[in-house]
Amino acid sequence: MKKISIAIDGPAAAGKSTIAKMVAKNLNYTYIDTGAMYRCVAYYALKNKIAFEDEERISQELKNIEIQMCPDGTIHLNKEDVTSLIRENEVSMGASFVSRYSAVREFLVNKQREMAQGGGVILDGRDIGTVVLKDAELKIYQIASIECRALRRHKENIERGIESDLEAIQQEIAKRDEQDMNREISPLKKADDAIEIDTSDMTLNEVVAHVMNLVLERVQ
């Protein structure tokens, strides 16, 4: 069975990465966490004592950064396993900074395209189908109502023992949507050839089954 490239785009908290990981596991594909790649650049800056605001220096250092996404889900930066290190708060903050820099975006988009060559990959984000993998054989635009997305995140927080305010989360998600759809570089939008899936009233397993059917249609 031939292996294809799958792009999943959509707004914040739509459950894209959860679905992408589950489908990747079912298909034995590599899940490429594009957000983690921006975190790797931020972690490199932090480790080398480069200020996140120093766009010029960070841009110059990109040639010294080698990121590897392994099929077992681990992430390596210059041969160091940074899977858990890049999830720290300071790194998250830094990732938000470095993702604005055009040199960083260009560098990582090229890396993502290299990783996707030959198929057998799933990428999720805001601009995968429109910018990163314009030729992906399957493009999905995954949405859900703001209320539904906020409730999911609220439940997740409670399960993790994190203090949570449903109304605040709802406002945060609405603000994030506004930012993502109106940013200058690679705004969030549905690719013309993407299939929209509204997951508001679907269970995780129902979404996975739907995506698996779409994959089978394309590989057969």
Side-chain angles (χ1 to χ4, degrees), residues 46-145:
L46 195 63
K47 193 179 174 187
N48 290 280
K49 298 183 170 53
I50 304 166
F52 295 140
E53 297 88 345
D54 193 344
E55 182 175 356
E56 192 180 337
R57 176 86 195 280
I58 288 171
S59 301
Q60 286 168 355
E61 288 289 329
L62 294 171
K63 60 183 182 296
N64 300 319
I65 293 176
E66 186 54 54
I67 301 165
Q68 196 180 3
M69 299 269 168
C70 304
D72 64 359
T74 58
I75 298 156
H76 294 249
L77 170 65
N78 295 339
K79 306 216 163 27
E80 176 193 0
D81 185 342
V82 295
T83 316
S84 56
L85 296 170
I86 60 169
R87 299 293 163 193
E88 290 173 8
N89 280 342
E90 205 174 352
V91 178
S92 299
M93 234 171 57
S96 176
F97 258 101
V98 303
S99 64
R100 301 174 200 164
Y101 304 149
S102 56
V104 173
R105 293 197 76 88
E106 194 181 323
F107 171 75
L108 292 180
V109 165
N110 287 335
K111 288 266 176 221
Q112 288 154 16
R113 286 176 180 151
E114 276 172 33
M115 290 175 176
Q117 276 178 359
V121 292
I122 298 183
L123 285 78
D124 73 292
R126 306 281 189 280
D127 62 351
I128 309 301
T130 53
V131 175
V132 182
L133 292 184
K134 289 183 179 178
D135 299 326
E137 288 93 338
L138 175 59
K139 295 180 188 178
I140 290 162
Y141 192 71
Q142 190 174 316
I143 61 164
S145 69

Side-chain angles (χ1 to χ4, degrees), residues 142-210:
Q142 190 174 316
I143 61 164
S145 69
I146 287 178
E147 294 76 15
C148 175
R149 287 184 277 147
L151 188 60
R152 285 176 190 166
R153 186 152 282 181
H154 179 60
K155 283 178 179 171
E156 264 174 36
N157 288 346
I158 290 167
E159 279 166 21
R160 289 176 182 167
I162 300 167
E163 208 173 298
S164 195
D165 177 340
L166 181 59
E167 200 174 315
I169 294 170
Q170 205 162 307
Q171 287 169 359
E172 198 181 288
I173 287 173
K175 189 181 172 186
R176 183 73 189 270
D177 285 354
E178 175 71 20
Q179 282 174 351
D180 286 343
M181 288 173 177
N182 295 296
R183 70 185 187 194
E184 276 182 51
I185 303 172
S186 304
L188 166 67
K189 62 178 180 183
K190 180 186 167 192
D192 295 338
D193 52 348
I195 293 163
E196 189 171 298
I197 301 176
D198 187 336
T199 67
S200 302
D201 301 314
M202 295 171 81
T203 65
L204 273 179
N205 289 335
E206 284 170 344
V207 182
V208 171
H210 186 35

Side-chain angles (χ1 to χ4, degrees), residues 14-27:
K16 302 181 297 292
S17 56
T18 305
I19 297 302
K21 284 174 192 169
M22 290 169 79
V23 172
K25 195 176 178 188
N26 285 354
L27 293 167

